[in-house]
């Protein structure tokens, strides 16, 4: 479950506290370590990134055009 600060870039990108991350760019993410590993390998400048989260028991797609490290820290 994500904890998102209201004024953060993640919040401005559409993430909400309580979102459950399912995937990034169609790569399933099951653990925080998997997410950290993915961010460290894919953090090469600004790219389009697609996230799928579960919010209120429904899948929600969020697309960003920012380096992953700015969104996930």
């Amino acid at each position: 479950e994500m904890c998102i600060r209201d004024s953060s870039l993640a919040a401005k990108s559409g993430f909400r506290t309580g979102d459950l991350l399912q995937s990034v760019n169609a790569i399933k993410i099951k653990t925080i370590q998997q997410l950290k590993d993915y961010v460290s390998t894919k953090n090469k400048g600004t790219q389009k990134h697609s996230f799928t989260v579960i919010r209120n028991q429904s899948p929600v797609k969020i697309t960003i055009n920012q380096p992953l490290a700015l969104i996930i820290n």
Side-chain angles (χ1 to χ4, degrees), residues 8-46:
S8 69
L9 187 54
K12 292 174 185 172
S13 297
F15 292 97
R16 301 290 176 257
T17 293
D19 285 351
L20 298 173
L21 182 63
Q22 299 295 298
S23 65
V24 180
N25 298 330
I27 306 290
K28 290 191 184 263
I29 302 293
K30 294 182 181 179
T31 67
I32 294 295
Q33 189 59 51
Q34 280 181 310
L35 180 59
K36 289 178 180 179
D37 292 345
Y38 185 82
V39 169
S40 70
T41 62
K42 299 295 181 188
N43 191 32
K44 307 291 188 245
T46 301

